[in-house]
């Protein structure tokens, strides 16, 4: 949780409670000089600003104190759908109807991966509505009318979301696999350019269907979260710069990177898709959530042109020897 906070912290409740870092009250850290310091709105506020969005650059976090909320909803509506590839365009058009802003209680994940049974990709959509089932179903009716192969709508405790969503595919006490490297590329969009997204999906479907064994475990995501509470925070409150992002895109490729020809192919495919997403994103300048980067993006894309001078000034003060230089370092 703290690691996600340092970059921002996006999730299903962003529309109601903002980013994770918006709930942060203070940090206790060890600085590059080996000193223990507090960082909050009243103690070292400059460091507190920088840690929230570019926190990998300044210190080691020992403790984090958060503001917490009363239970948002006793039960939430969890809705899962499975679609065949020919539903992709309709799903994207449906997402586009919410482009101006999702209801604060509604969120979506789209996941596309290879299905051996059909020898092509399958599209899974998970929706969560933090309110009564009757309210949530009104928003989800268009998905139900797309003739999903499978669907399930149920009211569940919020604490069960990870284990129940996507038809309960994630086992209890799941941990990330070891010795299973993934090559991840991310994107961010302000508007849903349906032709671009559909073109990518068709190319992605062809790719993973052509060599399914070599790309076993590869997935493509769209994370579509509300942003009312995120955008209610003034832009200069934290170093996190991109409060206007409508949806996040993740391409997560799983394969043997010792296969140099395949590695070259995948990187070329992903970079081409990323260029297309940037060109049609609707942003005046490229934007990307730092935790979803590949590692080769320029710093303006990660931290913004507006924030970089202030961040570099903080770096000179809190880490002049550039000890913290391993995750999108402000100073090379």
């Amino acid at each position: 949780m703290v690691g996600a906070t340092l970059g921002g912290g996006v999730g299903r409740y962003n529309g109601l409670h903002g980013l994770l870092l918006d709930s942060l009250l203070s940090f206790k850290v060890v600085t590059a000089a080996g000193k223990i310091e507090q960082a909050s709105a009243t103690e070292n506020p400059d460091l507190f600003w920088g840690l929230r969005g570019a926190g990998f650059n300044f210190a080691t976090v020992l403790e984090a104190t958060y503001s917490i909320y009363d239970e948002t909803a006793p039960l939430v509506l969890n809705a899962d759908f499975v679609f065949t590839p020919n539903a992709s365009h309709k799903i994207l058009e449906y997402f586009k109807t919410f482009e101006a802003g999702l209801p604060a209680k509604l969120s979506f994940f789209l996941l596309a991966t290879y299905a051996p049974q059909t020898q092509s990709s399958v599209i899974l959509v998970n929706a969560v509505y933090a309110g009564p089932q009757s309210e949530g179903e009104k928003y989800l009716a268009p998905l139900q009318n797309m003739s999903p192969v499978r669907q399930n709508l149920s009211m569940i405790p919020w604490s069960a979301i990870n284990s129940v969503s996507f038809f309960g595919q994630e086992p209890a006490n799941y941990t990330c696999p070891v010795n299973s490297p993934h090559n991840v590329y991310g994107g961010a969009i302000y508007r849903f350019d349906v032709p671009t997204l559909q073109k990518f999906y068709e190319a992605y479907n062809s790719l993973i269907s052509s060599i399914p064994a070599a790309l076993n475990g590869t997935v493509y995501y769209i994370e579509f979260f509300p942003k009312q509470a995120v955008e209610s925070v003034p832009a200069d409150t934290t170093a996190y710069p991109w409060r206007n992002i409508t949806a996040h895109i993740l391409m997560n490729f799983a394969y043997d990177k010792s296969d140099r020809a395949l590695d070259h192919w995948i990187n070329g495919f992903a970079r081409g898709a990323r260029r297309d997403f940037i060109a049609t994103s609707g942003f005046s300048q490229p934007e990307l959530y730092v935790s979803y980067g590949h590692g080769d993006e320029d710093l303006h894309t990660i931290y913004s042109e507006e924030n970089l001078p202030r961040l570099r000034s903080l770096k000179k003060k809190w880490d002049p020897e550039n000890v913290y230089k391993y995750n999108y370092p402000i100073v090379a």
Side-chain angles (χ1 to χ4, degrees), residues 7 28 30 46 59 95 98-99 104 170 195 236 262 269 281 328 330:
K28 182 179 181 180
V30 176
D46 59 342
F95 281 179
F98 293 111
E99 188 176 73
E170 182 175 296
D236 61 354
L262 179 57
F269 176 87
S281 66
Y328 287 105
I330 294 167

Side-chain angles (χ1 to χ4, degrees), residues 25-152:
L25 297 176
S26 66
F27 279 124
K28 182 179 181 180
V29 302
V30 176
T31 68
K35 296 181 179 180
I36 295 178
E37 299 278 3
Q38 293 287 336
S40 69
T42 56
E43 295 182 82
N44 298 311
D46 59 342
L47 180 60
F48 189 52
W49 177 85
L51 286 169
R52 292 175 296 162
F56 325 104
N57 282 277
F58 298 109
T60 299
V61 176
L62 300 177
E63 297 176 4
T65 303
Y66 295 84
S67 175
I68 60 173
Y69 303 92
D70 292 333
E71 185 177 48
T72 302
L75 297 172
V76 300
L77 173 62
N78 178 77
D80 289 313
F81 304 89
V82 177
F83 297 96
T84 56
N86 59 10
S88 173
H89 193 275
K90 288 183 178 179
I91 295 169
L92 292 169
E93 290 282 9
Y94 168 69
F95 281 179
K96 190 172 180 66
T97 65
F98 293 111
E99 188 176 73
L102 279 170
K105 297 179 181 180
L106 180 64
S107 64
F108 291 102
F109 275 95
L110 179 149
L111 181 157
T113 192
Y114 182 76
Q117 303 90 329
T118 62
Q119 296 185 347
S120 68
S121 71
V122 63
I123 302 171
L124 292 87
V125 176
N126 169 260
V128 170
Y129 185 77
Q133 183 165 348
S134 58
E135 287 183 9
E137 286 185 343
K138 293 177 182 177
Y139 294 116
L140 302 178
L143 284 175
Q144 294 178 291
N145 293 335
M146 291 180 200
S147 301
V149 176
R150 182 183 177 192
Q151 62 178 304
N152 179 65

Side-chain angles (χ1 to χ4, degrees), residues 198-278:
Q198 179 64 18
K199 174 187 173 184
F200 166 76
Y201 171 69
E202 291 173 1
Y204 168 81
N205 184 35
S206 296
L207 173 65
I208 64 171
S209 299
S210 65
I211 47 172
L215 293 176
N216 182 41
T218 293
V219 293
Y220 152 57
Y221 294 97
I222 296 177
E223 296 183 353
F224 190 13
F225 303 138
K227 53 182 179 179
Q228 289 87 337
V230 177
E231 291 188 318
S232 71
V233 177
D236 61 354
T237 302
T238 67
Y240 178 81
W242 306 130
R243 293 180 178 271
N244 59 340
I245 290 176
T246 297
H248 303 274
I249 297 170
L250 277 169
M251 299 169 280
N252 193 333
F253 299 96
Y255 61 94
D256 181 0
K257 292 193 72 176
S258 67
D259 185 335
R260 293 187 178 182
L262 179 57
D263 187 50
H264 180 76
W265 184 13
I266 295 300
N267 282 304
F269 176 87
R271 287 171 181 148
R274 185 174 62 181
R275 283 193 299 270
D276 290 343
F277 295 146
I278 290 171

